[in-house]
Amino acid sequence: MNSEVKIYFELVQTKNLLLRTPENEDAWAVFVIHSDPETNRYNPSGPMKNLNEATKSLQEWIQDWENNGFGYWSVLDSSTCEIIGVGGIRRMHYNGRDVLNLYYRFSPKSWGRGYATELARTAVNLAGRYLPGLPIVARIRPSNVASIRVAEKAGLKHTHELYTSEYVVLTLGWR
């Protein structure tokens, strides 16, 4: 399946963003974004502590692309080609099922411009078109209202039976 879907996911241009497969050279940008305390306000494990953590995450994301033909993108501002975030969908096992995890994390300097919503809608639309049958899941801390709004704008619905003491869960295609 990976070569069949990869052509639709590997390089996507939206109104303001360039979404591309992650590369080893993205490690520093991933570290800068994921080590910022502001981007980790709702992350239970907190900010990344060193470049090795970023490199390890990046390697996992690159492996997802090799195995599945899709995964989290490196997100670039299309006007500057600067990496401003990471996000998209990633195959994972959740609550006994194979699902697509919706994820988005952006540099604080790019917040408030609708980029997370633009990315989330793009990921959800592509998944619906090319990965039908796999539900999309977003697990979000209840206090992270902005992230909940992004998932809602992307078409995900609150799935109360999946809520935990730590997360509200929004899904699309969960039956």
Side-chain angles (χ1 to χ4, degrees):
M1 166 173 50
N2 64 355
S3 63
E4 296 168 12
V5 299
K6 187 173 185 178
I7 59 171
Y8 302 110
F9 286 87
E10 66 186 338
L11 184 62
V12 179
Q13 176 82 48
T14 68
K15 180 180 176 189
N16 299 296
L17 305 172
L18 181 62
L19 312 172
R20 66 158 170 76
T21 56
E23 301 170 352
N24 289 321
E25 295 77 23
D26 299 344
W28 181 253
V30 168
F31 175 66
V32 169
I33 292 165
H34 286 81
S35 66
D36 188 314
E38 277 301 299
T39 68
N40 285 278
R41 188 180 311 161
Y42 304 102
N43 183 355
S45 55
M48 285 185 175
K49 293 168 186 51
N50 55 55
L51 186 59
N52 287 339
E53 287 184 44
T55 301
K56 183 179 178 205
S57 291
L58 192 59
Q59 289 307 308
E60 290 174 13
W61 301 337
I62 290 170
Q63 190 64 50
D64 286 339
W65 280 91
E66 291 174 12
N67 293 341
N68 301 308
F70 64 91
Y72 295 155
W73 290 296
S74 290
V75 182
L76 288 73
D77 180 319
S78 62
S79 65
T80 65
C81 291
E82 175 187 0
I83 295 175
I84 59 170
V86 174
I89 54 169
R90 181 181 191 205
R91 185 185 288 266
M92 65 178 274
H93 201 72
Y94 177 71
N95 208 35
R97 298 176 66 174
D98 283 333
V99 300
L100 301 172
N101 186 66
L102 179 63
Y103 176 78
Y104 32 89
R105 184 161 301 180
F106 284 82
S107 169
K109 68 182 178 182
S110 66
W111 291 357
R113 298 181 187 167
Y115 294 162
T117 300
E118 192 171 328
L119 168 112
R121 284 180 174 157
T122 300
V124 167
N125 288 337
L126 287 170
R129 188 174 303 139
Y130 300 109
L131 302 167
L134 285 172
I136 300 169
V137 173
R139 297 168 297 139
I140 305 168
R141 297 274 183 188
S143 55
N144 192 347
V145 176
S147 186
I148 292 169
R149 272 191 258 129
V150 167
E152 291 169 341
K153 289 178 185 176
L156 279 68
K157 305 291 182 204
H158 290 265
T159 308
H160 297 281
E161 65 268 20
L162 297 178
Y163 278 26
T164 69
S165 59
E166 294 182 74
Y167 298 104
V168 298
V169 180
L170 292 85
T171 68
L172 183 65
W174 189 274
R175 293 178 198 88

